[in-house]
């Protein structure tokens, strides 16, 4: 059954730590926002390879995520990076390092559309590839997850042939993403009779001021 489930492509990631000194002037008087989306060519579609870059600057909303006077950036291509370009490469090889530099350039250029002098400002820069996903997140082929399309397929439920062994995560209902994965855990817990939904609802009611 696993072989029949289509997979999403992988990612390219760019993590940056950079100085905020003179940032507004460098941005032409604009204020730095938390999120940006850069589409290089609308005609190609947002699911085309290296066409869409998402940029998240969480330190805009939470300054504790970076040292004083600094910001953090996470820029990435959302599940459009082909794994086969990277398959079999030695992570310590010059070939791998060269490909990282080449394939991350689209991320740098996207960030430069927001912060033109970003390369000069950086104190920290880290590039993640499909092999990074595969190694550190234990993702099959560095995939974002199952490419199950609404109306064509459905995510399986938590049940397994083994009594009281249930599944949760982004490969079962309701699917990919932190909220969905959290919900899959609640589904599994309630299937076991732990009645977590009522407890969560009560907790949320208590938290609402």
């Amino acid at each position: 059954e696993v072989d029949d489930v289509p997979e999403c492509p992988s990612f390219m990631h760019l993590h940056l730590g950079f100085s905020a000194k003179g940032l507004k002037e460098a941005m032409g008087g604009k204020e730095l926002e938390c999120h940006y989306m850069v589409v290089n060519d609308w005609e190609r579609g947002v699911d085309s390879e290296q066409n869409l870059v998402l940029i998240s600057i969480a330190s805009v909303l939470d300054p504790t995520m970076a040292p004083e006077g600094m910001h953090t950036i996470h820029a990435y291509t959302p599940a459009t990076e082909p794994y086969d370009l990277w398959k079999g490469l030695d992570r310590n090889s010059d070939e791998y390092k060269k490909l990282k530099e080449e394939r991350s350039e689209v991320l740098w250029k996207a960030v430069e559309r927001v912060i033109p002098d970003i390369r000069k400002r950086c104190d920290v820069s880290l590039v993640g590839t499909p092999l990074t996903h595969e190694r550190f997140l234990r993702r099959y082929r560095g995939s974002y997850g199952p490419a199950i399309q609404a109306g064509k397929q459905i995510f399986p439920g938590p049940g397994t042939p083994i009594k009281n062994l249930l599944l949760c995560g982004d490969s079962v209902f309701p699917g990919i993403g932190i909220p969905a994965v959290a919900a899959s855990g609640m589904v599994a817990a309630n299937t076991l009779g732990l009645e977590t939904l009522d407890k969560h609802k009560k907790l949320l009611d208590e938290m609402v001021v």
Side-chain angles (χ1 to χ4, degrees), residues 3 14 20 36 56 73 81 84 100 106 150 173 176 199 207:
D3 292 337
L14 183 63
Y36 297 88
S56 176
I73 278 183
E81 182 69 9
D84 287 337
K100 280 178 69 174
V106 68
F173 181 84
I176 298 173
K199 293 178 182 178
M207 290 172 62

Side-chain angles (χ1 to χ4, degrees), residues 26-105:
M27 294 176 60
K30 298 178 182 177
E31 296 287 348
L32 188 65
E33 302 289 344
C34 181
H35 292 294
Y36 297 88
M37 180 177 73
V38 175
V39 180
N40 293 312
D41 183 353
W42 283 102
E43 296 299 320
R44 290 176 55 201
V46 295
D47 58 350
S48 295
E49 187 178 317
Q50 296 220 314
N51 193 39
L52 170 64
V53 176
L54 301 181
I55 302 169
S56 176
I57 312 173
S59 52
V60 169
L61 300 181
D62 183 358
T64 66
M65 298 190 72
E68 186 175 351
M70 304 290 288
H71 275 300
T72 62
I73 278 183
H74 175 209
Y76 60 99
T77 53
T80 58
E81 182 69 9
Y83 177 80
D84 287 337
L85 285 176
W86 304 84
K87 184 178 179 181
L89 288 181
D90 180 346
R91 291 180 295 100
N92 296 314
S93 68
D94 290 339
E95 183 182 6
Y96 177 67
K97 294 173 184 177
K98 183 174 183 293
L99 190 58
K100 280 178 69 174
E101 185 176 348
E102 292 174 355
R103 298 297 288 183
S104 64
E105 186 62 20

Side-chain angles (χ1 to χ4, degrees), residues 123-136:
D123 285 350
V124 177
S125 64
L126 300 170
V127 174
T129 73
L131 298 190
T132 311
H133 263 241
E134 185 177 49
R135 182 188 182 202
F136 290 101

